């Protein structure tokens, strides 16, 4: 992790869970600053909240009587420039987790499977995402054009497991991420030299009508 102080925003309504998650995060990322947003008493963040001071946001699926995915949808509809967002979900909140991914959550973390290693990996991915966004904004503001670079596929992620269902038009090369609801692959477009990133929903969820 960078030596720059890291600040995370944790939106949740359960003080015991916030304390537990805070302890796990301190083990995963020593020195991290955690800003707690007690959802039930403080309500929805207003337009005066400066999201830019946070490296990532952790948003719980259950906020009092409200669904965390509804909060995320509201943030998007209000045009809030959110940092990378990690969605916290229980085993009974699969539909909410899928909605959050569709709304742009970077990853879903299952509450009953949290540990320092998993948290460090998720926050690390969020930091990479945030840095990529900042570089893109810098290029846009300066009028620079980004030039394509040769992608060294073997240096990214891990070898994709055998037996992956084929996806028409693509050749899957590497597995570069895995969450509770989806896996992320680096793939090559058939008929071209270009690479793409594919986020593939877990097959068991594809049959879920919700």
């Amino acid at each position: 992790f960078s030596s720059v102080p890291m600040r995370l925003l944790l939106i949740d309504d359960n003080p015991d869970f916030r304390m537990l998650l805070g302890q796990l995060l301190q083990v995963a990322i020593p020195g991290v600053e955690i800003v707690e947003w007690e959802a039930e008493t403080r309500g929805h963040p207003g337009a005066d909240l400066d999201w830019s001071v946070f490296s990532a946001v952790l948003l719980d699926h259950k906020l009092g009587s409200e669904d965390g995915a509804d909060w995320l949808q509201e943030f998007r509809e209000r045009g809030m420039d959110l940092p990378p967002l990690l969605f916290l979900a229980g085993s009974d909140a699969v539909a909410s987790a899928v909605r959050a991914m569709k709304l742009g959550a970077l990853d879903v973390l299952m509450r009953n499977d949290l540990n320092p290693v998993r948290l460090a990996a998720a926050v690390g991915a969020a930091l990479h995402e945030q840095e990529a966004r900042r570089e893109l904004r810098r290029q846009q503001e300066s009028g620079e054009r980004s030039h394509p670079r040769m992608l060294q596929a073997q240096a990214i992620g891990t070898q994709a497991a055998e037996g992956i269902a084929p996806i028409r038009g693509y050749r899957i090369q590497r597995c570069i991420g895995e969450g509770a609801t989806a896996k992320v692959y680096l793939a090559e477009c058939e008929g071209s030299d270009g690479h793409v990133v594919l986020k593939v929903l877990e097959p068991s969820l594809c049959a879920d009508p919700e």
Side-chain angles (χ1 to χ4, degrees), residues 6-12 35-37 39 42-60 63 68 71-86 127 130 133-134 137:
M6 186 187 311
R7 182 181 296 166
L8 306 178
L9 178 64
L10 171 58
I11 303 177
D12 182 83
V35 177
E36 297 184 6
W37 186 280
R42 299 184 67 180
H44 294 223
D48 58 336
L49 179 63
D50 184 4
W51 296 95
S52 67
V53 302
F54 300 107
S55 304
V57 176
L58 292 97
L59 175 67
D60 201 274
L63 302 171
W71 282 47
L72 179 54
Q73 182 168 350
E74 179 196 328
F75 296 159
R76 298 301 186 199
E77 291 175 348
R78 289 166 60 184
M80 293 181 169
D81 188 13
L82 301 177
L85 186 138
L86 305 172
L127 294 180
Q130 186 77 314
R133 293 182 189 180
R134 287 172 177 160
R137 281 196 292 267

Side-chain angles (χ1 to χ4, degrees), residues 78-125:
R78 289 166 60 184
M80 293 181 169
D81 188 13
L82 301 177
L85 186 138
L86 305 172
F87 196 75
L88 303 164
S91 58
D92 59 343
V94 173
S96 181
V98 172
R99 276 188 63 208
M101 294 293 281
K102 290 180 178 179
L103 288 165
L106 182 66
D107 198 357
V108 172
L109 305 175
M110 304 307 291
R111 289 171 54 121
N112 60 354
D113 193 34
L114 291 175
N115 59 70
V117 174
R118 179 75 177 95
L119 286 168
V123 173

Side-chain angles (χ1 to χ4, degrees), residues 14-189:
N14 186 321
D16 292 333
F17 179 69
R18 291 201 306 272
M19 181 175 67
L20 172 62
L21 185 56
Q23 292 171 347
L24 289 172
L25 284 166
Q26 289 291 350
V27 173
I29 314 163
V32 65
E33 179 184 353
I34 303 164
V35 177
E36 297 184 6
W37 186 280
E38 207 290 310
E40 197 162 16
T41 58
R42 299 184 67 180
H44 294 223
D48 58 336
L49 179 63
D50 184 4
W51 296 95
S52 67
V53 302
F54 300 107
S55 304
V57 176
L58 292 97
L59 175 67
D60 201 274
H61 80 277
K62 188 173 178 59
L63 302 171
S65 60
E66 297 183 84
D67 189 325
D70 291 335
W71 282 47
L72 179 54
Q73 182 168 350
E74 179 196 328
F75 296 159
R76 298 301 186 199
E77 291 175 348
R78 289 166 60 184
M80 293 181 169
D81 188 13
L82 301 177
L85 186 138
L86 305 172
F87 196 75
L88 303 164
S91 58
D92 59 343
V94 173
S96 181
V98 172
R99 276 188 63 208
M101 294 293 281
K102 290 180 178 179
L103 288 165
L106 182 66
D107 198 357
V108 172
L109 305 175
M110 304 307 291
R111 289 171 54 121
N112 60 354
D113 193 34
L114 291 175
N115 59 70
V117 174
R118 179 75 177 95
L119 286 168
V123 173
L127 294 180
H128 284 300
E129 171 73 11
Q130 186 77 314
E131 185 58 35
R133 293 182 189 180
R134 287 172 177 160
E135 176 61 18
L136 180 59
R137 281 196 292 267
R138 187 192 68 77
Q139 291 180 357
Q140 291 172 337
E141 291 170 358
S142 65
E144 293 181 23
R145 295 185 60 185
S146 58
H147 299 285
R149 293 178 294 175
M150 293 298 293
L151 185 61
Q152 301 298 321
Q154 296 305 313
I156 300 174
T158 59
Q159 181 67 42
E162 296 182 2
I164 299 172
I167 300 176
R168 184 178 301 172
Y170 303 99
R171 289 188 294 272
I172 292 178
Q173 296 184 328
R174 307 282 286 177
C175 179
I176 58 176
E178 183 174 351
T181 59
K183 293 183 179 178
V184 182
Y185 298 106
L186 177 70
E188 189 176 33
C189 296

